[in-house]
Structure formats: C-alpha cells, structure tokens
Amino acid sequence: MSDRTTTARRPQSPYRTALAALSGTSIEWYDFYAFATAAAIVFNDVFFPADMPTALKTISSFATFAVGFLLRPIGGIVFGHIGDRVGRKKTLVITLMMMGIASVAIGLLPTYDQVGPLAPILLIVLRLVQGIAIGGEWGGAVLIAVENAPEGKATFFGSFAQLGSSVGALLSTGMFSLMSLFGDAAFDSWGWRVPFLASALLVVIGLVVRTKLEDSPVMEDIHTEQQKKNGKRGGASQLPVAEVLRNDWKTVLVGVFSLATATGGYYVVTSYLLSYGTDDQHLSESMLLNGLTLAAFLELVVTPFLSLLGDRIGAHKVVVGGLAGVVLLSIPQFMVVGTGNVVLIYLAMLAMRLVMSALYGPMAAILADGFAPHVRYTGISLSYQICNLVFAGFAPVTAVWLSSLAGGAYWPPAVALMVISLIGIWCTLRLRVYRARLITPATADAPAARVGAGV
C-alpha cells in the first residue's frame, strides 16, 4: 500500500505541491550555483591577493566553494530531525530564508583590496550558512512532492523538486552571461554582485509560495499514529538520526555512492570545465557560460520526460542508463574543449547534460522509497549531504589537482568521473535490493510502508 493513500483527505493537489517544491529549490540552487560560477571565474581575483600564483588562487577560490559542503550533513541532520518530528513545510521555509540572506550578503561583501584577509573569511562564513541551508532543503522538497504524488507517479512528481537544480543553474548562468556583456572591467568591479543581490526578489516570491503550502499527508499519518500509540513505536521517531544509523546505515552508504556522479560529477562538467576552458585553454568565458546555459535548459526540458520513463520502466533502469552514458562521454567532452570548436563544445555539453538528466528525478524517488516514512527526511538527507561532502564539495579542487599532476591534462578528472559512475551503477542496483527487503510481508500492508509503485 502506498503511504500517500493512507490518508482519506488529500490536503492539496499534487501539482500544487510539486510546483511549490520547484519554486523553492529553484531559488536555493540559483544561489548555490551563483557561488559555484563566481568561484570559477571571479572570486580568485576579487577575494585573494593579486600577487598569489594563478593556480593557487584558483584552488583557494574553489576551496571557498568546497567549505559550504562541510556543514551540509549537519544541516541534513538538524533539518531532517525537524522535518521528521515536526513537519516538512516548516523546514522548507527556514532553509529558504537562510539561503537568501546569505546570498544577498555575499553580493555586498568588500573585496580583498578593501579589507584584506577579512574578505575571504567573511565569504567562507556566509558559504557555511549556505551549506547548512542546502543541507536541509533537498530532502524536504523531494518529500513534499513525492509524498503527495498519485500512486505510481512518485518518480515524475519527485523530479519537480530536482528541476529546481536546472532552473537555478539556468537563471544563474544566464545572469552571469548577461553581466559579462558589460565587459571584464565592469564584471570584476560590480557585475558579479548583481546575481547575488537579485536573489532577494526571488526569495520573497519563494516565501509567499511556501508559506501557503500545507504539509504532506504522510506527515499527518505519522502524527496520528503517534497520538494513537502515545509516542510508542509507529509514530514519529524520538531521534531519527540514531534510528537511521542503527537500522539503515547500509542504505545510507549505498545511497551516497549512487549519488556521486549526480553531485560531484555535475561540478566536474560545469565548474571545473569552466575553469579548464578559461585558464588552460584560454577560451571565452562568455562562450562557455552560454554553453552551460543551453545545457541547463536542456536538462530542464528532458528531466520530467526521463522521470515519466522511470515510472513506466523502473527508475533504477533510467539511472543506470544515465550513468553508463556518463562513462562513455567523460573523455570526449574534455577532448573537444581542447579543439576550441564552439559547435563541438556545445554538442558535448548538451550530450553530457542529457545523460546526467537521467540521474536526478529518478534518484529522488529511489532514495525516498528506501527509508521508513518516520525517518525518511533524515535518511535521504544523510545520503545526499554526505555524498555532497565527500564528492561534490571537493570535486572542482580535486579535478584541478589531478589535472596539475598530469601537467594540465584533462584526462585524470575524466577518468575519475568514469570510475565513480561505474561504482554508481552497482550501488543503484543495490538500492533496489534494500528497498525489496524493506517491503516484507509483515510490513507491506502497514500504513506508510513505501513511497509508491513504479520505483
């Protein structure tokens, strides 16, 4: 029985909750990708001394991006606890406000020339705030959409939350592309600040949408069970993180590696590729940003269709196919960057983003289906945020380091991407086994046993 059908009254349309999840995650990821883009092309000059070697400045700039991932697991635990104990909605409002305030503050920061070492310190502090906020965002947005989805449509509706990544990337790279039209001097002086300041308007819109949102029917069922059983087993967990680590640590671990390409791999083919193309191949920033914008638009268009395919043939099959595509395209994508041919570079970017789009929406439903509802927010947040800490946060820095060991060659980061994708294929298949173990004859008819069919 689906956990979404245990409540007689569905509090709101699944499309409404899916769009609400999309609006919020779009804003949060816009802020996050704005930082990633700025770290690749401008933070190295704005927040670090001019006499620092270029390679060291680039690594230091990417390191400020990486520190945001250090607190993401903490954010996942804190907001996962609130989400499992209190409700999904409240966490989504809090995380959106935190992310928006930090982003606007980054747009107002003084430069290294103005305040010296205090500039990168302030940047790191605000980046840590962003990390905590994002740590609690993804799990709640996924669940508010998935748990309101009709039977057999969990993959499709779960993809709406993930579409926020595409919309955020599209808006972010689009804004930076627009600002780059004013010229390098204007961009380095004030243009890079505009995308961060513009997030204030987006946050206001997101808060209006999310404050009108009602919580998931699954959350209502959990609270009902808690009241019936007077806090005994079956209601909300007293300490969700302890229960997850005790009973579902294998699912968390396999989930981490199954997400590695979707998270760390993404930054290799965006932030690192941007840095490689501009610093090593001396290509136009504007040209590469335009290519990434096109790729983000393609991801936005195809992700819902790939998620629908996941509901029809199985989400695991779609994810495995996408990971296989990444293995095949890893080396060719970086190879064509060296040619300088704009058409080939754009085609490679689009092809890579097409296969990576198969990883996002389906993985949301797969992970959500692997944990019991009363610890689900914590479980999927731990998997996702630990993965981001281990793989995504340090992906650009590691890629630059691997490339420097080979004299600036592209192939070490490309091979690393292939390896984590192959591991991801095996782990995705293992997640299906763990889900099958969760749905036993003793629990299959219990309330809120699983997310839904089609996964």
Side-chain angles (χ1 to χ4, degrees), residues 236-426:
S237 174
Q238 295 299 310
L239 191 59
V241 64
E243 185 171 340
V244 167
L245 293 178
R246 181 174 63 251
N247 300 328
D248 300 311
W249 65 269
K250 289 184 179 179
T251 306
V252 171
L253 183 62
V254 172
V256 167
F257 284 93
S258 68
L259 288 163
T261 299
T263 55
Y266 177 88
Y267 294 110
V268 172
V269 301
T270 54
S271 296
Y272 169 70
L273 183 142
L274 186 58
S275 175
Y276 173 73
T278 55
D279 294 341
D280 296 309
Q281 299 301 319
H282 308 292
L283 299 176
S284 165
E285 288 180 1
S286 180
M287 182 271 289
L288 291 174
L289 283 170
N290 289 338
L292 291 175
T293 301
L294 289 173
F297 181 76
L298 176 66
E299 180 183 319
L300 174 64
V301 172
V302 302
T303 296
F305 293 99
L306 291 170
S307 297
L308 279 173
L309 182 63
D311 281 322
R312 292 179 64 88
I313 70 172
H316 295 81
K317 295 178 182 178
V318 174
V319 171
V320 168
L323 289 168
V326 173
V327 173
L328 295 176
L329 292 173
S330 292
I331 289 179
Q333 172 163 33
F334 287 98
M335 185 181 296
V336 300
V337 171
T339 68
N341 187 301
V342 177
V343 175
L344 289 178
I345 291 172
Y346 281 9
L347 287 175
M349 285 181 173
L350 292 172
M352 178 60 83
R353 194 63 66 87
L354 175 63
V355 297
M356 292 194 75
S357 298
L359 312 181
Y360 301 127
M363 276 307 306
I366 291 172
L367 272 182
D369 210 30
F371 296 94
H374 64 290
V375 295
R376 182 175 288 158
Y377 199 138
T378 299
I380 67 173
S381 294
L382 275 178
S383 296
Y384 189 68
Q385 304 309 340
I386 292 174
C387 176
N388 275 284
L389 172 63
V390 175
F391 292 101
F394 296 95
V397 175
T398 303
V400 171
W401 175 68
L402 290 174
S403 177
S404 66
L405 292 179
Y410 67 83
W411 64 264
V415 171
L417 182 58
M418 295 171 66
V419 171
I420 66 171
S421 298
L422 289 171
I423 295 173
I425 290 174
W426 183 85

Side-chain angles (χ1 to χ4, degrees), residues 32 35 39 43-44 46-49 52 56-57 59-72 98-99 102-103 105-107 109-112 115-133 192 196 394 397:
F32 210 72
F35 196 106
F43 280 175
N44 54 344
V46 173
F47 290 106
F48 298 95
M52 181 181 290
L56 183 57
K57 283 201 298 183
I59 291 176
S60 299
S61 180
F62 277 138
T64 64
F65 171 72
V67 297
F69 291 85
L70 294 176
L71 295 187
R72 284 177 69 155
M98 288 178 61
M99 194 71 179
S103 183
I106 288 172
L109 282 179
T111 66
Y112 189 91
V115 297
L118 181 61
I121 292 174
L122 292 174
L123 181 66
I124 290 171
V125 170
L126 292 173
R127 179 61 177 163
L128 291 173
V129 174
Q130 284 190 327
I132 295 174
W192 68 269
F196 292 99
F394 296 95
V397 175

